[in-house]
């Protein structure tokens, strides 16, 4: 059973030798900087300051691994799309992500975060390609839903689907880290892909 009571930081990996490969399942989170990835992770775990909110640029080259209930890793891929990041650092980010996706065998589910307000960026589309090519299940979390008017929700979700070029088999979960919207649905997906129950 997953009860999300026990969440520990395991390590920050900057190269593939540091990726844990102990066979534990991995739930993977990606997203552009400022999309609310830290806030979403905190919301999922019901913590305030577990994953740091407002991470500064420069933290783009580490993959953070958290162990949850001793049952799976929550993998926090480094944010992308920082405006003020050097070409060299962008390239490092690319190499790190490439080496991570070189063997996605341990990935149970990819959770790709986008901003519910906007069309996905070119970087988001590139990330989408990584997930598609992994051949593993993934879903899209459209965060900051609370910033949308009701009438904007459906068209925006459709625009996200169209821009990322994903078919109906890929779920888009409307989410608000601020309000908690979508938390149960996302947890249900995570549990289903781990083959576990949730308390
Ligand atoms: P990260 O860079 O992707 O880890 O993003 P953060 O979690 O640091 O969040 C970036 C900013 O967006 C912060 O000011 C958050 O308070 C805000 N934020 C995150 N999620 C939401 C949300 O669902 N709704 C609203 N209104 N703001 C959010």
């Amino acid at each position: 059973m997953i009860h999300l009571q026990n969440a520990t930081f395991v390590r920050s990996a900057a190269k593939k030798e540091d990726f844990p490969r102990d066979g534990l399942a991995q739930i993977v989170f990606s997203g552009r900087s400022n999309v609310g990835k830290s806030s979403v992770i905190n919301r999922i775990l019901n913590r305030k300051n577990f994953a740091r909110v407002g991470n500064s640029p420069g933290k783009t080259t580490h993959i953070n691994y958290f162990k949850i209930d001793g049952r799976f890793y929550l993998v926090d891929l480094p944010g992308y799309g920082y405006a003020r990041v050097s070409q060299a650092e962008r390239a490092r980010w690319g190499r790190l992500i490439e080496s991570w996706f070189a063997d996605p065998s341990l990935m149970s589910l990819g959770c790709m975060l986008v901003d519910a307000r906007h069309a996905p960026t070119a970087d988001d589309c590139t990330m989408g390609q990584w997930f598609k090519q992994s051949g593993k299940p993934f879903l899209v979390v459209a965060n900051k839903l609370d910033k949308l008017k009701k009438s904007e929700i459906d068209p925006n979700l459709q625009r996200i689907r169209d821009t990322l070029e994903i078919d109906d088999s890929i779920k888009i979960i409307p989410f608000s880290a601020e309000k908690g919207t979508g938390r149960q649905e996302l947890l249900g997906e995570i549990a289903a892909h781990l083959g576990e129950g949730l308390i």
Side-chain angles (χ1 to χ4, degrees):
M1 281 298 219
I2 303 162
H3 45 70
L4 307 172
Q5 297 290 303
N6 190 348
T8 51
F9 172 75
V10 176
R11 79 174 59 141
S12 213
K15 53 183 188 320
K16 66 172 185 294
E17 291 74 22
D18 298 333
F19 301 163
R21 3 190 82 268
D22 52 9
L24 212 57
Q26 304 189 359
I27 304 290
V28 182
F29 286 81
S30 75
R32 190 168 60 70
S33 70
N34 222 35
V35 69
K37 185 155 53 64
S38 309
S39 304
V40 168
I41 291 172
N42 286 334
R43 170 59 75 179
I44 289 169
L45 299 176
N46 270 339
R47 311 280 163 118
K48 282 252 176 295
N49 290 308
F50 192 70
R52 239 188 83 213
V53 173
N55 263 342
S56 54
K59 272 291 173 196
T60 62
T61 48
H62 287 78
I63 298 177
N64 289 324
Y65 286 84
F66 305 99
K67 197 181 271 191
I68 313 296
D69 297 339
R71 304 306 300 272
F72 67 96
Y73 287 114
L74 192 160
V75 184
D76 181 8
L77 296 182
Y80 50 84
Y82 291 97
R84 287 163 45 221
V85 151
S86 67
Q87 270 312 110
E89 194 165 340
R90 255 176 245 273
R92 250 202 325 273
W93 180 90
R95 282 196 299 273
L96 183 67
I97 298 297
E98 188 173 5
S99 62
W100 195 88
F101 276 100
D103 179 13
S105 60
L106 295 175
M107 177 164 61
S108 296
L109 180 68
C111 303
M112 186 186 153
L113 272 61
V114 297
D115 193 319
R117 294 171 296 177
H118 310 303
T121 64
D123 287 335
D124 289 330
C125 293
T126 302
M127 203 68 228
Q129 292 295 340
W130 286 113
F131 280 114
K132 283 185 224 172
Q133 284 163 16
S134 75
K136 302 297 258 185
F138 73 99
L139 52 77
V140 176
V141 175
N143 190 38
K144 306 201 183 184
L145 190 79
D146 56 284
K147 295 217 178 196
L148 292 187
K149 294 191 204 115
K150 232 184 157 98
S151 62
E152 294 173 320
I153 295 175
D154 282 345
N156 280 27
L157 295 179
Q158 189 59 47
R159 182 173 58 174
I160 289 167
R161 186 175 288 291
D162 293 345
T163 308
L164 292 175
E165 298 181 334
I166 50 175
D167 62 41
D168 289 344
S169 66
I170 310 287
K171 284 206 166 73
I172 301 180
I173 299 183
F175 202 95
S176 166
E178 184 118 328
K179 307 273 186 219
T181 318
R183 179 176 184 270
Q184 283 311 320
E185 187 179 357
L186 180 53
L187 283 176
E189 289 296 323
I190 290 172
H193 284 89
L194 289 170
E196 304 255 1
L198 270 176
I199 295 180

